[in-house]
Amino acid sequence: MREHGMSEIAISQFERLYRTWQADQSEWIREEDVEPLTDIPAVRDIHDTIDHDKALEAFRKTAFLKLNGGLGTSMGLAGPKSLLPVRRHKAKRMRFLDIILGQVITARTRENVQLPLTLMNSFRTSKESMAVLHHNRRFHQDDIPMEIIQHVEPKLDAATGAPVEHPENPELEWCPPGHGDVFATLWESGLLDSLLEHGIEYLFISNSDNLGARPSTTLAGAFAQSGAPFMVEVAHKTPADCKGGHIVRDKKTGRLSLREMSQVHPDDKADATNIAKHPYFNTNNIWVRVRDLRDKLASTNGVLELPVIRNRKTVDPTDSSTTKVIQLETAMGAAISLFDGATCIEVDRPRFLPVKTTNDLFIMRSDRFHLTDSYEMEDGNYIFPEVDLDPRYYKNIADFDERFPYGVPSLAAAKSFTVKGDWTFGQNVKCFSAALLEDKGEPAYVPNGEFVGPLGVEPDDWL
């Protein structure tokens, strides 16, 4: 790592991950050792108890940090995932970053607040992402840095524990240490001190691919009023969320703890995915008090003792025949266990609108959503149809766009939408009920204006 010019903080962080992994091969958080959280206060229930003037005062002292290091390789992207077009607004193509900037600028103007925005970029997302910020004529920020750069670490050969070698593409020998790296990066960058110098007391951290994590005066007020040093937004699970990470209480320490599904023992999977038993999932929207976080990091020389997650992959994630590797990672939300008095708050579904796959992107681009003039993604009830597109033909964004040349079909009347095989879609196609297209064994086409239902493309003659 030193040969590659990496900082001592990055090396210290990786050394802790590696030594923890070597000393303790156990990676499970067992069901018998935790208590489920079943009674978390909901922001809608405490809304009337929040003093609006105090909430606005807290919002004036809030900064935004967006995790923006992802390349979207799972969708075949080569550049920043946040530069993927989501939909149009008044005919203008809007990417994730465009919508985020719109949300921040709107909040600044509406509430007359400074609301600094910082991106945690990777070396591979920095140049293109920062160009978007500089190009936006309505976005200005001079005193507080607009980006910090996340660390990287070596991938480990699963068989030997040594740094993996991949001469065909040496860049693939490295990986980020998970989004828990945000804390070491904040410490090393000096951003926390800069925020405090400018009167910022609260920091809201979220993923750039979650367009629901928009500025909220109410949540800033709820966090300030709670007195907690650390707060995680959680939401009620639906069947689609049953495999999401969730907050539990450690029986030994009494502290809250984040349990990711990768830390669930196979024997505990049924309990961990039981919505009745664990009704909330972690949205990865985090609120922290800047001074408390700075003091905590100062006491640990910038490296928090977060649980180590073993992420098993191949050195080339697009080629399963390449060397098996282990990536040692930490989760941002796991820091909840390090703060006395840390808490959770239940938020409504509109706060969690992530795009991890082209299935998610399909819904975001569909007529289920409307992008408002405040750059909020609006839907009627945020209970979305199940979308399952054949990964052979729709997993990569280039293939996806090629098959939806006029935009995605209407989902307004659809309960679900399943595509098997290679289908290309004409204009104004509408789905209804449990829409299903079966594999024809060859490329197929849905003509302009057709309806797709449980029997496939409906016949022209409605008998």
Side-chain angles (χ1 to χ4, degrees):
M1 292 178 76
R2 287 194 180 95
E3 288 174 0
H4 282 78
M6 295 180 191
S7 69
E8 290 305 310
I9 289 286
I11 293 170
S12 296
Q13 178 173 243
F14 177 71
E15 182 178 5
R16 191 195 76 82
L17 296 178
Y18 192 88
R19 293 194 185 283
T20 301
W21 172 58
Q22 281 188 316
D24 179 17
Q25 292 297 323
S26 173
E27 58 191 281
W28 314 119
I29 298 177
R30 297 304 304 265
E31 187 73 20
E32 62 191 20
D33 296 328
V34 301
E35 295 175 354
L37 296 187
T38 56
D39 189 21
I40 295 175
V43 66
R44 60 181 174 275
D45 294 334
I46 66 172
H47 182 273
D48 292 342
T49 71
I50 300 171
D51 184 297
H52 176 73
D53 292 334
K54 291 182 179 178
L56 183 56
E57 182 63 24
F59 195 52
R60 288 195 178 101
K61 299 176 181 178
T62 296
F64 258 38
L65 177 64
K66 289 287 184 179
L67 308 186
N68 191 57
L71 294 174
T73 53
S74 62
M75 289 190 282
L77 292 169
K81 182 180 179 182
S82 60
L83 298 190
L84 178 66
V86 180
R87 57 187 307 115
R88 291 186 180 272
H89 179 255
K90 296 180 178 177
K92 184 179 180 181
R93 188 184 68 166
M94 302 297 291
R95 301 160 295 187
F96 286 94
L97 267 186
D98 297 319
I99 296 173
I100 290 168
L101 287 172
Q103 292 175 349
V104 169
I105 293 167
T106 298
R108 287 178 174 181
T109 304
R110 179 184 294 165
E111 305 293 355
N112 190 27
V113 295
Q114 56 176 322
L115 193 61
L117 171 67
T118 301
L119 304 180
M120 184 170 85
N121 286 319
S122 65
F123 286 107
R124 297 178 69 183
T125 64
S126 175
K127 182 178 179 180
E128 292 176 79
S129 297
M130 295 309 294
V132 173
L133 269 62
H134 292 303
H135 182 72
N136 190 307
R137 296 178 181 178
R138 298 176 61 210
F139 180 80
H140 304 284
Q141 186 169 305
D142 299 320
D143 297 332
I144 294 175
M146 289 188 288
E147 77 166 339
I148 56 177
I149 302 294
Q150 70 182 32
H151 299 116
V152 294
E153 65 182 21
K155 298 177 183 178
L156 302 174
D157 188 314
T160 66
V164 72
E165 295 184 4
H166 193 63
E168 297 90 335
N169 186 353
E171 275 194 14
L172 293 177
E173 298 172 358
W174 302 88
C175 64
H179 44 67
D181 175 57
V182 65
F183 301 115
T185 302
L186 279 168
W187 175 254
E188 185 172 23
S189 68
L191 179 63
L192 298 176
D193 288 323
S194 179
L195 293 175
L196 289 171
E197 288 169 5
H198 289 85
I200 298 297
E201 297 180 16
Y202 311 108
L203 180 62
F204 176 64
I205 312 173
S206 60
N207 294 324
S208 63
D209 68 357
N210 177 13
L211 294 176
R214 56 186 182 270
S216 170
T217 305
T218 301
L219 278 161
F223 181 49
Q225 182 174 290
S226 74
F230 193 99
M231 184 175 78
V232 175
E233 294 182 22
V234 299
H236 257 290
K237 288 182 180 179
T238 66
D241 309 310
C242 67
K243 294 183 179 179
H246 50 272
I247 307 294
V248 294
R249 189 176 300 280
D250 188 291
K251 288 182 178 178
K252 289 183 179 178
T253 67
R255 288 191 170 191
L256 299 181
S257 178
L258 171 65
R259 180 167 68 164
E260 300 281 11
M261 286 308 297
S262 59
Q263 297 168 299
V264 174
H265 190 279
D267 293 343
D268 296 332
K269 283 286 172 67
D271 284 318
T273 56
N274 184 335
I275 295 175
K277 187 170 186 180
H278 295 282
Y280 304 103
F281 70 93
N282 169 35
T283 66
N284 221 36
N285 297 342
I286 309 292
W287 294 81
V288 294
R289 290 184 188 258
V290 176
R291 194 174 301 278
D292 287 338
L293 178 58
R294 187 191 64 173
D295 292 347
K296 176 67 70 174
L297 286 164
S299 70
T300 60
N301 295 317
V303 179
L304 298 183
E305 294 191 3
L306 301 174
V308 179
I309 298 171
R310 292 82 166 163
N311 196 347
R312 293 170 174 81
K313 294 189 176 184
T314 53
V315 63
D316 182 348
T318 66
D319 186 351
S320 60
S321 68
T322 56
T323 305
K324 293 181 179 179
V325 298
I326 292 176
Q327 298 177 192
L328 300 180
E329 302 177 0
T330 58
M332 176 172 68
I336 195 171
S337 66
L338 303 180
F339 291 89
D340 291 324
T343 190
C344 297
I345 190 167
E346 181 196 338
V347 294
D348 292 331
R349 193 67 189 196
R351 296 285 298 173
F352 185 70
L353 301 173
V355 175
K356 302 300 181 186
T357 66
T358 51
N359 291 341
D360 301 327
L361 182 64
F362 182 99
I363 296 174
M364 290 288 173
R365 288 185 176 178
S366 78
D367 57 357
R368 284 300 304 265
F369 276 103
H370 167 64
L371 183 59
T372 72
D373 288 344
S374 299
Y375 301 94
E376 297 180 2
M377 296 286 286
E378 282 192 348
D379 175 68
N381 60 10
Y382 297 93
I383 301 174
F384 307 120
E386 186 73 23
V387 173
D388 185 11
L389 306 175
D390 194 321
R392 293 175 297 172
Y393 306 105
Y394 302 92
K395 180 180 180 180
N396 289 341
I397 190 63
D399 296 334
F400 178 94
D401 286 339
E402 181 181 348
R403 286 163 175 80
F404 298 112
Y406 304 104
V408 302
S410 168
L411 286 180
K415 178 182 178 182
S416 62
F417 180 49
T418 303
V419 179
K420 299 178 181 178
D422 185 2
W423 289 84
T424 299
F425 294 76
Q427 299 181 63
N428 303 318
V429 175
K430 298 177 178 62
C431 301
F432 69 94
S433 188
L436 170 65
L437 292 171
E438 295 283 6
D439 191 348
K440 298 291 187 181
E442 61 182 7
Y445 178 64
V446 181
N448 295 345
E450 293 289 354
F451 289 82
V452 179
L455 301 180
V457 181
E458 293 291 330
D460 289 334
D461 50 340
W462 290 73
L463 301 178

